């Protein structure tokens, strides 16, 4: 059985709380510049208005640390949790492949 995190944070919120808010000298604009992305693009991410792309994951791994895979895993956990809250699966049934001819 897989462990599913309860209500995982948006990766942008994690970036904001961990890498920007604790430091007076670090701003979202400075991080965006270091990442080589538009400030508006990075602000959409940290405000939770945009997801984290594979390209951004690669950039974050170089600038903030961690691996691109770990950044994408955060996004995937967030997306999967939210999809599970929205998708109605009550009428769905598992196919029994042992019974298929």
């Amino acid at each position: 059985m897989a462990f599913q995190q309860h209500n995982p944070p948006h990766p942008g919120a994690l970036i904001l709380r961990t890498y920007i808010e604790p430091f007076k000298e670090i701003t979202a604009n400075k991080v965006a510049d270091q990442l080589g992305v538009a400030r508006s693009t990075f602000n959409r991410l940290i405000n939770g208005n945009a997801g984290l792309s594979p390209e951004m994951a690669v950039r974050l791994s170089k600038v903030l640390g961690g691996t691109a895979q770990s950044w994408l895993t955060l996004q995937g956990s967030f997306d999967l949790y939210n999809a599970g809250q929205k998708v109605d699966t009550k009428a769905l049934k598992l196919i029994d492949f042992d019974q298929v001819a």
Side-chain angles (χ1 to χ4, degrees):
M1 175 181 245
F3 173 77
Q4 184 176 7
Q5 185 177 1
H6 177 71
N7 198 11
H10 187 281
L14 180 105
I15 292 167
L16 185 63
R17 282 195 323 263
T18 306
Y19 299 99
I20 298 171
E21 289 178 345
F23 306 100
K24 286 184 182 180
E25 63 279 355
I26 302 294
T27 65
N29 287 342
K30 284 184 181 180
V31 176
D33 293 346
Q34 192 70 23
L35 289 167
V37 299
R39 293 173 174 185
S40 60
T41 298
F42 187 64
N43 278 307
R44 282 193 301 275
L45 174 64
I46 63 172
N47 290 321
N49 297 322
L52 194 147
S53 69
E55 292 84 2
M56 182 64 83
V58 171
R59 291 173 184 273
L60 289 169
S61 72
K62 295 296 183 186
V63 173
L64 300 180
T67 64
Q69 182 63 45
S70 67
W71 287 108
L72 286 177
T73 297
L74 290 170
Q75 184 67 52
S77 295
F78 176 81
D79 291 343
L80 187 57
Y81 175 82
N82 286 299
Q85 301 303 303
K86 295 175 186 173
V87 176
D88 182 4
T89 61
K90 292 180 192 109
L92 303 178
K93 304 286 185 222
L94 182 66
I95 296 172
D96 184 354
F97 288 96
D98 291 330
Q99 300 300 318
V100 178

